Amino acid sequence: SSKFNNTSTKTLKDFGNKKIIGLTATREKVARALTAVMNIISFTEGGVSNKAKDLGYDDLFHIRLYAKMEGGQLILIEKNEVIFIQPATSIQGEPLPVKYNSGSLTLNQLMQNAQKYMGKNFFVYDAFDNNCASFIVSILKANNIWDDADTKFLAQDVASLKKSLP
């Protein structure tokens, strides 16, 4: 799809013009069940898990971004098979506070800059080449708030993982 789902559209309508006062990226271990499915897809017993270990990832992570809005509302931004932008009640996962100049961007500006930066890949999902991590990293880079120090926490070299699978 080349547009936001209903939830994301509503969230952008309700909160899009509000200023973002803080950003937190998080990572959460991908469920072992998903790794098992990826192992089946790759036709190797433990193939994904073993290759991930070889590449220095004992576990694969799902990456999210949380925006704290003026007024206190927390907004979750993530990419699964589609982009989800929705109100959240709390931050889930291991947090990484993002160095960000409070109030310098609205939610709409954050997402429009990312869409411009990513082009046609903005709405496209690919588990290896255009996943949750590449989406969040692209949002940060597009808005000049990327910090190379965050690479180890956020970026996962799943492209190498894909190449190494049969």
Side-chain angles (χ1 to χ4, degrees), residues 48-102:
V48 171
S49 308
N50 291 337
K51 291 294 182 191
K53 276 191 186 67
D54 294 347
L55 294 168
Y57 301 105
D58 289 337
D59 293 277
L60 295 173
F61 292 98
H62 180 61
I63 309 294
R64 297 183 183 98
L65 186 64
Y66 290 89
K68 186 158 176 90
M69 308 306 295
E70 62 184 353
Q73 179 63 54
L74 194 60
I75 302 293
L76 164 65
I77 303 165
E78 68 180 331
K79 190 182 219 181
N80 294 311
E81 66 287 353
V82 297
I83 295 168
F84 286 99
I85 304 170
Q86 59 196 18
T89 53
S90 64
I91 293 176
Q92 303 293 315
E94 182 185 349
L96 172 76
V98 174
K99 293 174 190 77
Y100 164 73
N101 185 10
S102 179

Side-chain angles (χ1 to χ4, degrees), residues 9-59:
T9 300
K10 181 177 179 352
T11 303
L12 288 169
K13 186 172 164 281
D14 294 347
F15 299 98
N17 293 324
K18 290 192 184 299
K19 297 272 187 209
I20 297 170
I21 58 172
L23 288 168
T24 302
T26 66
R27 67 181 185 183
E28 200 164 20
K29 288 182 181 178
V30 172
R32 299 214 186 288
L34 179 59
T35 305
V37 169
M38 289 172 74
N39 285 335
I40 292 165
I41 292 169
S42 68
F43 303 109
T44 55
E45 178 58 39
V48 171
S49 308
N50 291 337
K51 291 294 182 191
K53 276 191 186 67
D54 294 347
L55 294 168
Y57 301 105
D58 289 337
D59 293 277

